[in-house]
Amino acid sequence: MFRNVYTPPGGPPQVRAPQLYTRVGAASLHALAEAHYALLATSTIAPLFPSEEEELKQAAHKQALFWIGITGGPPLYMEKFGHPRMRARHLPFAIDETARAEWLRCMREALGDGSRWDFMESDVQEWMSWLEAFSEWMVNQAPR
Ligand code: HEM
């Protein structure tokens, strides 16, 4: 169905992800992605995500591969799926400011004080401010 696509006036993100991979490692980023997706699955934006458990796990896995590459680890996401084109890959899903806020809330909740995922206090700050900026570019739906 046709819908009007909204383009955020700020343009593509000008922010660099915190380079925490070498310290935090793949296992923590995978576990954080799983915790984030478990919360997304029970959030107000759950209908956007796979309802089947195995598919949700796969989606979290993909997310972790992206995080690993962008935080200074091996480019596993790029090798498997090609150029991230993050805004384009989100276009099939109607994402407005409310959805963005909910996605970020789940992230903040999953992250907690960061210690479970081997994040230092400064990592928590940097991770959230990176995602707050980066997620703006994923918004493709004007407020209703
Ligand atoms: C603005 C709030 C956001 C919403 C509502 C949202 C929603 C979604 C949805 C519904 C999918 C498809 C299902 C899935 O594979 O998980 C997806 C995929 C994905 N998202 Fe997001 N997302 C948001 C922000 C972000 C941000 C900030 C990042 C990166 C830091 C990100 C990274 C990804 C990746 C890597 C995928 C997999 C893309 C692929 O199919 O290869 N998303 N997102």
Side-chain angles (χ1 to χ4, degrees):
M1 200 175 64
F2 176 82
R3 71 183 165 87
N4 282 319
V5 170
Y6 166 81
T7 306
Q14 304 294 322
V15 285
R16 185 167 183 252
Q19 300 298 291
L20 45 70
Y21 175 79
T22 39
R23 193 159 29 78
V24 164
S28 283
L29 291 175
H30 277 289
L32 175 60
E34 284 197 16
H36 184 213
Y37 269 69
L39 291 174
L40 289 170
T42 59
S43 72
T44 59
I45 55 171
L48 294 179
F49 293 91
S51 51
E52 211 263 313
E53 207 181 315
E54 200 45 45
E55 279 176 49
L56 192 72
K57 266 195 124 169
Q58 281 306 316
H61 186 81
K62 228 176 181 184
Q63 182 75 235
L65 295 185
F66 178 72
W67 290 349
I68 287 169
I70 207 159
T71 56
L76 304 174
Y77 180 92
M78 294 263 261
E79 281 168 16
K80 276 196 154 169
F81 307 111
H83 192 282
R85 299 182 300 111
M86 270 302 131
R87 179 167 162 83
R89 288 190 202 260
H90 285 78
L91 283 178
F93 310 96
I95 301 175
D96 61 10
E97 261 311 317
T98 312
R100 170 177 171 254
E102 181 71 347
W103 190 96
L104 287 168
R105 181 193 66 77
C106 292
M107 184 73 246
R108 214 171 288 121
E109 204 172 311
L111 196 55
D113 70 0
S115 56
R116 269 184 80 184
W117 325 106
D118 302 316
F119 277 48
M120 301 191 310
E121 221 175 288
S122 56
D123 293 331
V124 172
Q125 301 296 326
E126 288 171 25
W127 184 255
M128 283 317 303
S129 37
W130 167 58
L131 286 177
E132 271 155 29
F134 196 88
S135 61
E136 276 179 20
W137 190 231
M138 253 52 88
V139 175
N140 55 36
Q141 189 78 65
R144 271 190 258 184

